[in-house]
Amino acid sequence: VETYRVRVTRKHPLAPGVMEIGLERPSDFQMQAGQKIRFHHRGLARDYTLINAPDEDQLVICAIQVPQGNFSPGLMQSPLGTVYEISKPFGYFTFQVSVRTAVFLATGTGIAPFVAFVRAGVRDFILLQGARSDEHLYYWSEMMAAARTYVPCLTRTAEDLQLVPETFQGRVTGYLETRLPVAGYDFYLCGSGAMVDAATRIIDRRFAGSLVYGESFF
Ligand SMILES: Cc1cc2nc3c(=O)[nH]c(=O)nc-3n(C[C@H](O)[C@H](O)[C@H](O)COP(=O)(O)OP(=O)(O)OC[C@H]3O[C@@H](n4cnc5c(N)ncnc54)[C@H](O)[C@@H]3O)c2cc1C
């Protein structure tokens, strides 16, 4: 397996327990928006989706600290300059040009590939971004500016609805089930496996003629 050794170059908090982490970009690193890298660390292998534009001079990930996790707490606490071993970029969760409207569904850090898509120039999509509360709607203003339709979906109560306009109260799958106009779409689902599975079942029932791409983080 070919790997690179890269230094942590930047750390930028996005929300409690969530951080944007910059990594040196190896000189021969060729990537497509939506691809991920694998960290190899003390016998563990953990994948992270890159959010930087394909031609940026650093690599960037958006990482959440999983309490009691084996890898993510150390990553979050790593000082600048810490060296990690990473794989080449890989994976096929990339944007496919289509005659159908693209609908992106993201929960939590599952927004990552869609940030990469937007930074690679993808526009005119519908985005349903799910989170507990609006402080976890990472990148919402950048996403809202690029989307044809941006729908934040919050599972907590109305007190949280301060920052982001036009919020749907409920899960992304609730919006899919009750609000998204029936049509054939290209769906891109990213986040928990539970969301990807639940959304796929709703699409199979309600959105004939659609295509589904999925990426489960856990
Ligand atoms: C293709 C792919 C892309 C990924 N991209 C990202 C990314 O861009 N950003 C990111 O933060 N993570 C991402 N992950 C998840 C990441 O690889 C690790 O699973 C995560 O960091 C936890 O590792 P850990 O060793 O700390 O936890 P572990 O000791 O492995 O504990 C794992 C448990 O933590 C929970 N968990 C794992 N990931 C998450 C998460 N993202 N949000 C909430 N709960 C979680 C699950 O319940 C899981 O059972 C991705 C995973 C895959 C498979």
Side-chain angles (χ1 to χ4, degrees), residues 36-38 44-51 61-75 90 107-110 112-113 190 215-218:
K36 57 226 172 191
I37 52 175
R38 181 162 293 164
L44 298 174
R46 293 288 185 272
D47 294 346
Y48 285 85
T49 299
L50 295 165
I51 65 165
I61 60 171
C62 167
I64 192 162
Q65 178 162 348
V66 172
Q68 275 91 49
N70 288 297
F71 175 71
S72 55
L75 175 67
F90 67 103
T107 49
T109 54
C190 187
E215 181 99 292
S216 298
F217 278 10
F218 61 96

Side-chain angles (χ1 to χ4, degrees), residues 15-215:
V18 184
M19 203 177 267
E20 210 175 271
I21 296 174
L23 301 164
E24 275 174 311
R25 181 175 183 143
S27 55
D28 63 342
F29 195 93
Q30 300 269 356
M31 62 170 282
Q32 285 178 274
Q35 287 189 309
K36 57 226 172 191
I37 52 175
R38 181 162 293 164
F39 285 75
H40 297 279
H41 184 72
R42 299 187 179 150
L44 298 174
R46 293 288 185 272
D47 294 346
Y48 285 85
T49 299
L50 295 165
I51 65 165
N52 53 279
D55 59 356
E56 245 172 87
D57 61 6
Q58 68 171 349
L59 305 179
V60 185
I61 60 171
C62 167
I64 192 162
Q65 178 162 348
V66 172
Q68 275 91 49
N70 288 297
F71 175 71
S72 55
L75 175 67
M76 304 292 279
Q77 282 141 36
S78 61
L80 293 182
T82 303
V83 174
Y84 280 102
E85 187 180 344
I86 62 164
S87 71
K88 288 182 177 182
F90 67 103
Y92 305 101
F93 194 76
T94 54
F95 185 74
Q96 309 297 319
V97 173
S98 166
V99 293
R100 287 177 297 272
T101 299
V103 179
F104 303 156
L105 269 74
T107 49
T109 54
I111 194 67
F114 307 125
V115 177
F117 287 2
V118 164
R119 292 178 178 179
V122 174
R123 294 292 181 275
D124 209 31
F125 53 87
I126 297 170
L127 170 61
L128 316 184
Q129 181 174 11
R132 275 165 291 157
S133 57
D134 63 8
E135 68 178 349
H136 291 284
L137 290 174
Y138 326 120
Y139 309 102
W140 71 270
S141 56
E142 186 179 353
M143 296 296 102
M144 190 166 78
R148 182 203 300 175
T149 307
Y150 172 71
V151 184
C153 302
L154 299 182
T155 50
R156 286 222 192 124
T157 54
E159 306 148 38
D160 297 316
L161 315 185
Q162 309 286 327
L163 279 164
V164 185
E166 309 267 335
T167 301
F168 176 74
Q169 185 73 53
R171 296 172 182 269
V172 289
T173 45
Y175 189 92
L176 204 57
E177 182 91 66
T178 63
R179 300 282 176 89
L180 187 70
V182 170
Y185 299 100
D186 284 0
F187 285 99
Y188 293 74
L189 317 175
C190 187
S192 70
M195 183 279 281
V196 171
D197 290 352
T200 302
R201 280 192 294 273
I202 295 165
I203 294 162
D204 286 348
R205 221 174 36 236
R206 198 162 181 258
F207 299 98
S210 294
L211 197 64
V212 180
Y213 304 97
E215 181 99 292

